[in-house]
Amino acid sequence: MWPSDWPSSARTIAATVAASVEAARTREECAFREHIGNLADLPTDQVTVVLSAVIRELLEAAHPDGLAADDIRSVLTDVIRQSIPWLPGLDPTTVATALTGALGIDEHPDHPPADPHPAAVLLISHLAEATRVPTRDSIIRAIGEIARAETVEMP
């Protein structure tokens, strides 16, 4: 399913992110929590980089003319409204943290927030549905871009 030239860690992250997003899309709380637990067992920094790259790509697809404050507010509101009924314990601030983190805005550098991965998955699910961009395609492009960036030599 995933490119065979990827390292096994990249394939595992891709598969786990995709499964998590699918559980969020179908609003299956038990499956969602199980897959999020599997994400937590993977290297946090690598998972965060992949989730952030997918969120950025989907935001660009949803807002090709640029992202305004109202767009950000709308995404946050939509994700929270869609998620709270089936994830009543969701902390809305983690959704904001996942979104701002994906955009490179770290508002709490001294106080790490709660795990933003579940909220990032919820954002991806919402944005993928809104843009009709297949999650698998976004994950492949994100990991490909990350690999490309890691092989570029710095001057």
Side-chain angles (χ1 to χ4, degrees):
M1 175 172 176
W2 303 102
S4 60
D5 61 329
W6 284 3
S8 63
S9 61
R11 288 193 305 273
T12 301
I13 290 170
T16 308
V17 168
S20 300
V21 172
E22 179 60 19
R25 188 187 66 73
T26 59
R27 293 165 175 74
E28 295 178 26
E29 183 179 2
C30 289
F32 179 77
R33 293 197 186 282
E34 178 184 338
H35 294 301
I36 290 300
N38 293 339
L39 270 182
D41 292 337
L42 299 173
T44 301
D45 291 345
Q46 292 176 5
V47 171
T48 300
V49 169
V50 171
L51 292 172
S52 294
V54 173
I55 290 170
R56 282 191 305 275
E57 176 188 314
L58 292 170
L59 283 170
E60 289 172 11
H63 304 282
D65 295 330
L67 195 60
D70 287 342
D71 299 326
I72 293 171
R73 190 174 308 111
S74 176
V75 168
L76 290 172
T77 301
D78 290 348
V79 169
I80 293 166
R81 278 190 188 142
Q82 291 172 359
S83 302
I84 290 288
W86 66 276
L87 286 174
L90 177 67
D91 179 359
T93 60
T94 62
V95 179
T97 299
L99 181 58
T100 57
L103 295 172
I105 304 166
D106 189 2
E107 297 196 11
H108 307 288
D110 298 331
H111 306 301
D115 180 10
H117 293 158
V121 168
L122 296 172
L123 284 161
I124 291 169
S125 175
H126 169 73
L127 291 166
E129 187 175 315
T131 59
R132 299 187 189 268
V133 173
T135 304
R136 181 181 186 281
D137 295 351
S138 292
I139 294 169
I140 288 173
R141 283 190 294 272
I143 291 177
E145 181 59 27
I146 292 164
R148 187 197 64 73
E150 288 178 354
T151 59
V152 172
E153 288 186 39
M154 299 303 289

